[in-house]
Amino acid sequence: MSESRAALRYAKAILDMAKENKALVAVEKDMRSIVATISDSKELKDVLASPVVSGASKKNALLEIFKGCDSITEGTISMLVDNKRVGMLNEVALKYIILNEQLKGKGVAYVTTAVPLDAAIEKKILKQVATITGDEVTIESKIDESIIGGFILRVGDLQYDASVSNKLNNLKREFSNSL
């Protein structure tokens, strides 16, 4: 089973549990916190991916970092560590957010840019995504200077990569293949 499909299954189970316990808002807040924390910390990504760091250490670190979160979120962290799937915590959290937004009748558009978006561009993106998907969407923007310029837009399972770094990589691949 691919990591993405497994993450989706975990996210669906977490969403069902959160619905049952009427904790959708609290768990969504926790999941957004997890995504923001892991995305902003290369060190945390490295620790989660490291086979050298023990599962118990990873669990303790994550529970300390996300202290005060909902019991469902704590259980999710523990379960992923116990199942040796803690490396997919960020993807599970992302999938949960997407599923929860769909449940509320909204979508989330993730936009990665090299510089912060201004309000005018954000409005254009919202309008264009609403036209394409037919859904009301909210924007989660992330700044990643490594893409050099342009943007990467992700809505649900669709991704459009119009970044300069992607275009440079494509050119590099074309030149490599033609030699």
Side-chain angles (χ1 to χ4, degrees):
M1 182 187 332
S2 75
E3 292 288 307
S4 184
R5 285 181 46 204
L8 183 61
R9 286 186 177 170
Y10 279 111
K12 283 180 180 176
I14 296 162
L15 184 70
D16 289 343
M17 193 178 299
K19 266 195 286 189
E20 260 180 47
N21 295 312
K22 297 178 180 23
L24 286 169
V25 174
V27 175
E28 180 181 5
K29 183 177 159 253
D30 295 343
M31 294 299 167
R32 288 187 186 278
S33 173
I34 287 170
V35 169
T37 304
I38 293 175
S39 295
D40 291 344
S41 174
K42 182 184 178 334
E43 294 83 12
L44 183 56
K45 284 182 200 169
D46 292 344
V47 167
L48 294 179
S50 173
V52 177
V53 179
S54 73
S57 298
K58 291 177 186 179
K59 184 190 292 188
N60 292 337
L62 288 169
L63 292 176
E64 187 62 33
I65 292 168
F66 301 110
K67 188 184 283 186
C69 62
D70 192 86
S71 61
I72 294 171
T73 306
E74 288 178 358
T76 299
I77 291 169
S78 296
M79 177 182 57
L80 288 173
V81 171
D82 294 344
N83 293 343
K84 296 181 182 6
R85 294 276 180 116
V86 74
M88 65 186 336
L89 176 61
N90 192 51
E91 190 171 356
V92 170
L94 279 170
K95 298 274 188 207
Y96 176 90
I97 293 167
I98 291 167
L99 289 172
N100 195 36
E101 290 294 331
Q102 287 173 347
L103 185 68
K104 293 189 284 189
K106 293 182 179 177
V108 180
Y110 296 94
V111 181
T112 305
T113 56
V115 296
L117 292 175
D118 65 7
I121 293 176
E122 203 168 292
K123 276 185 179 178
K124 283 182 181 178
I125 293 170
L126 282 171
K127 185 178 177 186
Q128 193 65 34
V129 172
T131 303
I132 293 168
T133 64
D135 293 334
E136 181 184 330
V137 294
T138 57
I139 286 188
E140 290 275 328
S141 60
K142 178 180 160 188
I143 297 170
D144 181 0
E145 295 173 0
S146 70
I147 69 168
I148 304 170
F151 65 93
I152 301 171
L153 174 66
R154 186 169 152 204
V155 181
D157 290 339
L158 304 172
Q159 181 168 315
Y160 180 71
D161 191 340
S163 65
V164 173
S165 64
N166 182 49
K167 290 177 182 177
L168 290 172
N169 286 336
N170 288 342
L171 279 172
K172 184 178 172 183
R173 242 184 317 224
E174 284 181 35
F175 283 131
S176 296
N177 290 340
S178 66
L179 295 178

